[in-house]
Amino acid sequence: MAKELTPQAENYAQWYNDLVIKADMAENSAVRGSMVIKPYGYAIWEKMQAILDGMFKETGHENAYFPLFIPKSFFSKEASHVEGFAKECAIVTHYRLKNDPEKGIIVDPDAKLEEELIVRPTSETIIWDTYRKWVQSYRDLPILINQWANVVRWEMRTRLFLRTSEFLWQEGHTAHATRQEAVAEAEQMLRVYADFAENFMAMPVLTGVKSPNERFAGAVETYCIEALMQDGKALQAGTSHFLGQNFAKAFDVKFVNKENKQEYVWATSWGVSTRLIGALIMSHSDDNGLVLPPKLAPIQVVIVPIFRKEEELIAITEKVDGLIKDLKKKGISVKFDNRDTHKPGYKFAEWEMKGVPVRLAIGPRDLEKGTVEVARRDTLEKEVLQFIDIADKIENLLERIQKNIYQKALVFRDDNTFIVDTWEAFQDRIEKGGFVLAHWDGTPETEQKIKEETKATIRVIQPTAKPETGKCIYTGKPSPQRVVFAKSY
RNA sequence: CGGGGUAUAGCGUAGUCCGGUUAGCGCGCCUGCUUUGGGAGCAGGAGGUCGAGUGUUCGAAUCACUCUACCCCGACCA
């Protein structure tokens, strides 16, 4: 009973923390705000990486790697970019330590850097400084590059996966000859993210653009996918930015177009991070632990043998050997948990905590009857099935689980999306959580005031199929469309 | 950076107010036997510079001062 989670209903934040620790995904490290990602958590990240990486390559991108350190001066080149990141930068000032007879190891004051280095909070500056050298003609464009990297943002408060001082992510940085092409790229990558969120993470997302207040520092337009967590708070799960010519101008990246005229290059950047693991957890999991969508589960099927004697284990092993091969042939990852150091009940609880989608239990009784017990993690249902054709049945079940948890999350989101027309109803609804669709007069001032009074921000402005005019919830001024408000992570 | 709190074995904690033998308990860990279809039982065992430093005292986990780290609430944020 050592591994009980705080129930969600009692304290959602505590539940989340307990789960990350007890499912063995990550733990806090000796460095404030930085976590150790443990093998099981990292395996989930590797699955995400592999799928996203494939999608990026499918859309024509290549991977490259840029330095961790960025000269301080680079940051001052794009004004709003500096403003956005200045308050959360780690800075390298020295390059050597020395022994001090009194204080032990100290920073060698003689080893001060001429120019301090910033540990990258994002790589636009160093990348655009590099792109300058790569681009002369329209024939050099587009540049479609992604990098998998770690970045550092010195956050005041951190939470495992959701906000850590150092985090892993990917950042795409593209350069284009025209505005239209860059906008199309930013929109394309938003669709890639939405596709990944919905079809792999089984997490429904709203897509659209950010309000000016919430825009990325240096962007002309920020597109985002926005998900609703089980506690009614929104989570920004991925962003794609149309950067206009801001960085090209700041770093003087020009090209000669077909008409032999100098033009600044158009840019995009886009990223998702290990925060997605937090999103995954808070989309599907329950008081028994993690619930993973089959497409991202490091282990999709676990087989727990039930045995007293060595001979029984041998018989079971023989029985499941073919099944394991069949499943692997189908690309399904299987773990045969034949440890004799733990009892079946312990294993059941452990794999439940770790969110393995399908668990098979097989013991002497099953061997006699030619059956196997199949348990699914999402519904916690168990049934005894004939062993015949079991690999096909499991393959089918995994697909059903993937669909079911998406459907469940979708219903939850729809049940927690509200249309509100009065300020009183708005305040009340925001307090209770969920997405709130309301009219807004379009000004940053109003958004700011709403944030100050309710802590809610505009999460996303969705593209409008049918514009619905109305009056701003706060000022009563005319509004062209509803926007999505929520309290967020 | 403001406000509040905590620091005792791998983890969770009792003891601190009111100083006094060997710092107690649960989980986990190790050994043995019995167990194994939902987190096993019994028996034995190992494991502690009581966050760090200084002071008060015959004597400090306990009192005083200083420092450090972490947690919670705010402002900031993927």
Side-chain angles (χ1 to χ4, degrees):
Chain A
M1 304 298 162
K3 291 199 166 186
E4 296 260 306
L5 300 176
T6 301
Q8 291 185 337
E10 189 184 310
N11 182 340
Y12 194 82
Q14 190 60 49
W15 165 84
Y16 175 85
N17 233 334
D18 286 359
L19 177 48
V20 172
I21 304 291
K22 287 176 179 166
D24 219 19
M25 286 185 278
E27 63 188 37
N28 280 306
S29 72
V31 182
R32 188 201 72 93
S34 301
M35 64 176 171
V36 174
I37 304 176
K38 299 184 78 178
Y40 195 65
Y42 199 77
I44 296 170
W45 179 238
E46 284 180 314
K47 294 281 282 192
M48 290 179 161
Q49 273 188 304
I51 294 159
L52 284 166
D53 199 62
M55 294 170 103
F56 298 156
K57 284 170 181 159
E58 194 62 36
T59 43
H61 303 87
E62 296 176 297
N63 286 329
Y65 188 78
F66 293 84
L68 171 67
F69 299 125
I70 300 176
K72 192 181 74 178
S73 59
F74 282 21
F75 265 83
S76 50
K77 292 185 180 179
E78 213 292 330
S80 60
H81 194 67
V82 193
E83 205 179 304
F85 288 104
K87 283 175 281 181
E88 51 188 43
C89 284
I91 302 129
V92 181
T93 56
H94 293 75
Y95 58 86
R96 193 165 63 211
L97 298 171
K98 71 170 189 181
N99 242 314
D100 183 276
E102 281 169 22
K103 296 179 193 159
I105 300 285
I106 60 162
V107 173
D108 186 344
D110 294 334
K112 195 162 170 13
L113 291 171
E114 285 291 312
E115 178 177 3
E116 290 96 339
L117 297 171
I118 310 297
V119 180
R120 63 180 166 217
T122 179
S123 302
E124 274 79 4
T125 57
I126 187 109
I127 286 178
W128 278 86
D129 185 70
T130 308
Y131 282 0
R132 182 177 58 246
K133 300 169 210 163
W134 294 2
V135 179
Q136 276 93 43
S137 149
Y138 72 93
R139 294 178 212 273
D140 297 325
L141 296 170
I143 300 174
L144 303 173
I145 283 181
N146 174 64
Q147 89 165 344
W148 290 96
N150 57 339
V151 288
V152 169
R153 296 183 189 173
W154 213 263
E155 302 287 353
M156 302 308 290
R157 291 187 62 193
T158 58
R159 294 190 64 191
L160 293 166
F161 288 114
L162 294 174
R163 178 166 297 109
T164 46
S165 301
E166 177 189 0
F167 57 92
L168 305 183
W169 77 345
Q170 59 69 216
E171 45 181 330
H173 294 274
T174 68
H176 305 266
T178 66
R179 163 186 275 270
Q180 301 90 294
E181 195 183 304
V183 169
E185 165 75 7
E187 287 175 351
Q188 169 184 249
M189 296 324 287
L190 183 74
R191 284 195 301 277
V192 166
Y193 288 155
D195 178 14
F196 178 76
E198 301 201 325
N199 295 317
F200 291 89
M201 294 175 70
M203 177 176 79
V205 289
L206 299 181
T207 60
V209 299
K210 286 290 185 191
S211 65
N213 276 1
E214 299 281 321
R215 220 172 256 157
F216 175 73
V220 174
E221 190 82 278
T222 288
Y223 300 83
C224 66
I225 55 170
E226 203 73 23
L228 189 65
M229 301 295 101
Q230 294 164 330
D231 62 346
K233 284 165 87 175
L235 185 88
Q236 179 174 307
T239 48
S240 176
H241 315 289
F242 169 56
L243 301 172
Q245 295 173 310
N246 291 346
F247 284 90
K249 284 177 181 163
F251 288 89
D252 195 33
V253 187
K254 290 186 232 174
F255 71 102
V256 178
N257 66 18
K258 289 178 187 174
E259 286 81 44
N260 196 28
K261 279 189 188 141
Q262 291 271 330
E263 255 190 87
Y264 284 110
V265 174
W266 299 86
T268 81
S269 69
W270 28 274
V272 294
S273 71
T274 34
R275 172 181 250 204
L276 287 181
I277 295 174
L280 192 64
I281 294 167
M282 292 195 291
S283 292
H284 309 302
S285 303
D286 60 27
D287 286 345
N288 294 306
L290 196 57
V291 174
L292 290 173
K295 288 185 184 176
L296 289 178
I299 299 168
Q300 292 168 307
V301 178
V302 65
I303 303 173
V304 178
I306 292 151
F307 60 97
R308 292 159 188 266
K309 306 174 206 121
E310 183 76 26
E311 307 89 80
E312 286 172 343
L313 177 60
I314 291 167
I316 294 165
T317 303
E318 276 170 19
K319 179 79 177 175
V320 299
D321 192 52
L323 170 61
I324 292 170
K325 286 200 181 94
D326 288 348
L327 289 172
K328 283 185 177 163
K329 220 176 284 170
K330 290 173 181 291
I332 295 167
S333 54
V334 201
K335 170 141 185 108
F336 181 43
D337 187 0
N338 59 359
R339 289 175 293 177
D340 60 3
T341 49
H342 294 284
K343 292 177 50 172
Y346 178 94
K347 294 176 184 176
F348 292 168
E350 179 179 348
W351 296 117
E352 235 158 58
M353 182 66 76
K354 291 192 164 190
V356 174
V358 172
R359 183 187 70 232
L360 308 181
I362 185 160
R365 256 172 13 215
D366 297 293
L367 290 184
E368 234 170 76
K369 290 188 264 178
T371 57
V372 58
E373 183 191 84
V374 180
R376 53 190 282 185
R377 177 61 185 88
D378 60 336
T379 59
L380 296 170
E381 288 165 346
K382 287 191 284 198
E383 57 179 337
V384 176
L385 297 180
Q386 290 299 311
F387 200 81
I388 296 167
D389 294 332
I390 193 70
D392 288 337
K393 292 175 195 163
I394 289 166
E395 185 179 34
N396 183 272
L397 178 60
L398 286 170
E399 282 167 25
R400 294 206 315 272
I401 291 172
Q402 180 81 28
K403 285 194 188 121
N404 179 57
I405 62 177
Y406 174 77
Q407 203 53 39
K408 211 166 139 188
L410 184 62
V411 168
F412 175 83
R413 188 190 70 186
D414 290 347
D415 287 349
N416 287 280
T417 299
F418 307 92
I419 293 175
V420 158
D421 288 311
T422 68
W423 178 239
E424 291 68 35
F426 181 85
Q427 288 172 299
D428 179 56
R429 198 55 256 176
I430 284 292
E431 192 52 40
K432 291 177 185 158
F435 283 141
V436 178
L437 278 64
H439 281 287
W440 163 60
D441 65 17
T443 66
E445 296 74 31
T446 301
E447 184 182 6
Q448 188 59 33
K449 287 207 174 113
I450 291 173
K451 183 178 179 182
E452 280 161 18
E453 292 189 30
T454 65
K455 289 183 188 164
T457 50
I458 296 173
R459 302 317 306 158
V460 57
I461 303 169
Q462 295 173 277
T464 42
K466 42 178 179 36
E468 180 209 319
T469 56
K471 284 184 191 162
C472 174
I473 201 91
Y474 190 76
T475 61
K477 290 179 190 162
S479 150
Q481 72 166 106
R482 289 182 188 275
V483 298
V484 180
F485 284 91
K487 284 200 278 194
S488 74
Y489 274 96

